Amino acid sequence: GAGVSQSPSNKVTEKGKDVELRCDPISGHTALYWYRQSLGQGLEFLIYFQGNSAPDKSGLPSDRFSAERTGGSVSTLTIQRTQQEDSAVYLCASSLARSGGQFFGPGTRLTVL
Amino acid sequence: GENVEQHPSTLSVQEGDSAVIKCTYSDSASNYFPWYKQELGKRPQLIIDIRSNVGEKKDQRIAVTLNKTAKHFSLHITETQPEDSAVYFCAALAGGTSYGKLTFGQGTILTVHP
């Protein structure tokens, strides 16, 4: 079956604009995760969902970041009033359960000018 | 919360040699430890994982060992090939109230010279 998909693959925006990033997990995967990876850096945890609920939002960098998941499937990560430091690759992953291996999507490269 | 330290940050080997990457973790409740390989410009790919009820797991040229008492785990790649060149990340799955959250190490850039 299809793997994790993300859209858009690239997004260029101006400082102060809002952006929405979308993640479509592997069918049947109940857990969904968002990470951020800056150039040449490691993976920074942002938030994860078990079903539609988000037990752990501790990684969200500020209140400009929010995420939701509906129907236990697609998730959107919204960044309001984008700043240049938000520029990074945003990666989504999904797993069958919280205890399982996570499979990553191709990422969305966000550039804030 | 969980803290994962990974060493070395860079590793350069000759083709055919072995490569070892080590990680330590802080949360004794962590019970799942995956390893990811990330090639330049691509997504991280799960290459092997281990759970806390076993000490070693092998998959062809790749093996992972876990020492729960010392809270460290290692990735071993034997007979390295140029296509093994990539960034490798270890991770630990948090337990307790943060169950489900993966904390990643800082990554190791592995270069295999032909």
Side-chain angles (χ1 to χ4, degrees), chain A residues 46-104:
Chain A
L46 297 179
I47 188 171
Y48 90 90
F49 291 89
Q50 178 61 41
N52 290 335
S53 65
D56 192 337
K57 303 179 182 180
S58 63
L60 294 177
S62 74
D63 58 8
R64 296 186 295 104
F65 287 72
S66 63
E68 64 175 15
R69 188 181 187 195
T70 55
S73 182
V74 172
S75 175
T76 55
L77 176 69
T78 301
I79 309 173
Q80 296 178 308
R81 305 181 302 280
T82 51
Q83 303 294 314
Q84 288 183 333
E85 60 262 28
D86 299 335
S87 296
V89 175
Y90 289 81
L91 289 159
C92 174
S94 71
S95 62
L96 268 175
R98 285 186 292 174
S99 59
Q102 297 181 18
F103 297 89
F104 283 83

Side-chain angles (χ1 to χ4, degrees), chain A residues 33 37 48 99 101-102 104, chain B residues 32 36 38 43 51 99-100:
Chain A
Y33 310 80
Q37 188 172 35
Y48 90 90
S99 59
Q102 297 181 18
F104 283 83
Chain B
Y32 173 68
Y36 287 85
Q38 187 175 28
R43 73 189 79 184
R51 296 193 183 272
Y99 180 54

Side-chain angles (χ1 to χ4, degrees), chain B residues 2 6 28 35 46 64 75 106:
Chain B
E2 176 69 281
Q6 182 172 348
S28 56
W35 285 87
L46 178 65
V64 58
L75 177 71
Q106 299 86 345

Side-chain angles (χ1 to χ4, degrees), chain B residues 22-33:
Chain B
K22 299 182 179 182
C23 290
T24 60
Y25 62 98
S26 61
D27 184 356
S28 56
S30 292
N31 58 12
Y32 173 68
F33 307 91

Side-chain angles (χ1 to χ4, degrees), chain B residues 20-23 35 50 63-67 72-76:
Chain B
V20 180
I21 303 171
K22 299 182 179 182
C23 290
W35 285 87
I50 191 168
V64 58
T65 58
L66 171 65
N67 183 326
H72 67 69
F73 56 113
S74 300
L75 177 71
H76 304 252

